Amino acid sequence: MAAQGGEEEAPVPPQKRFYRQRAHSNPLADHTLRYPPRPQDMDWASLFPAFFPPNAPPGTPPARVEFADVGCGYGGLLVALAELFPQTLALGLELRGKVAAFTRARLRALRAARPGHFGNVACVRGNAMKHLPHFFHRAQLSKLFFLFPDPHFKRTKHKWRIISPAMLAEYGFVLRPGAEDPLVPLLPAVTEEGQRAQRAGRPPRTAVFRRRPDPPPGGP
């Protein structure tokens, strides 16, 4: 599968006013999305070319995404991860088309401004509630982020919640057993929503969960 893109290089940072989109998006709708049949069918080299050199020695294991930001929005966390973990690949999944386009343009502008940096983060338009195992192998991820997920308070829209008992099996499948997240102090301030909440005197609350190991075969 070819990675999403097609936009021209944008050395100038994009302006959000041209990419605004409503905050709510129905994850169960039939969006026109591109996703690989299997993780190994994804063209990762087009997203992270610096980590897939064409002259790599035969037998070199391909680089793999280790961090995923579900609903990455305007890319605040991705930018922070790029600086903190420059050798670790991170992928943002964003369902809203205009917002995903902004984040891709933002990352291209950052790479143009600072060559050699921000090549380890990328964003695609994707629906984690439907297609997460299409992007990631079993136990591939060491960190899986959900910053300010939509609570969908109305009972009729509870099925839209990205955090729900029904989705835990999907997240457990792609998470590495024992993986945990020491980045808690960073998370409240890297997104627009977090900054807005802090300005309003409503500090965000953070929850961290660790993937438990699978039970031994034949166990209870």
Side-chain angles (χ1 to χ4, degrees):
M1 170 189 168
Q4 301 171 27
E7 301 95 343
E8 296 181 358
E9 287 298 321
V12 178
Q15 300 181 47
K16 287 182 181 177
R17 61 193 177 100
F18 297 121
Y19 294 87
R20 292 292 181 185
Q21 191 169 351
R22 61 183 299 178
H24 304 282
S25 185
N26 181 0
L28 303 183
D30 291 327
H31 299 278
T32 303
L33 300 174
R34 300 173 61 197
Y35 57 91
R38 304 171 301 171
Q40 57 266 40
D41 297 323
M42 183 69 181
D43 183 9
W44 296 110
S46 64
L47 293 175
F48 307 101
F51 290 81
F52 291 84
N55 57 349
T60 302
R64 282 190 173 188
V65 171
E66 288 226 8
F67 303 162
D69 183 9
V70 175
C72 65
Y74 294 99
L77 178 60
L78 291 175
V79 171
L81 291 174
E83 299 275 43
L84 291 170
F85 301 92
Q87 298 302 314
T88 302
L89 303 188
L91 182 71
L93 292 163
E94 174 56 51
L95 182 57
R96 296 168 294 170
K98 288 184 179 180
V99 178
F102 173 91
T103 300
R104 292 196 296 270
R106 179 184 184 183
L107 295 177
R108 289 197 306 274
L110 288 170
R111 293 175 195 137
R114 296 180 59 191
H117 296 263
F118 301 101
N120 61 317
V121 293
C123 171
V124 298
R125 188 183 181 208
N127 187 340
M129 288 186 68
K130 289 185 175 182
H131 306 136
L132 202 63
H134 290 264
F135 288 96
F136 307 117
H137 293 276
R138 178 183 177 90
Q140 176 176 337
L141 301 178
S142 62
K143 301 185 191 300
L144 185 58
F145 298 96
F146 302 87
L147 301 192
F148 298 91
D150 196 324
H152 293 298
F153 292 114
K154 293 182 179 179
R155 184 179 298 274
T156 57
K157 294 186 177 181
H158 283 185
K159 59 183 178 291
W160 292 13
R161 290 176 172 175
I162 191 76
I163 304 297
S164 68
M167 293 301 301
L168 292 182
E170 298 287 319
Y171 306 146
F173 178 82
V174 299
L175 269 177
R176 189 175 306 159
E180 58 186 310
D181 182 11
L183 299 175
V184 174
L186 168 73
L187 302 182
V190 295
T191 67
E192 273 195 336
E193 291 83 356
Q195 295 165 8
R196 190 180 304 117
Q198 289 186 328
R199 288 195 298 269
R202 296 180 284 105
R205 296 182 179 180
T206 304
V208 181
F209 298 89
R210 183 170 58 188
R211 206 293 200 178
R212 297 177 62 181
D214 293 330

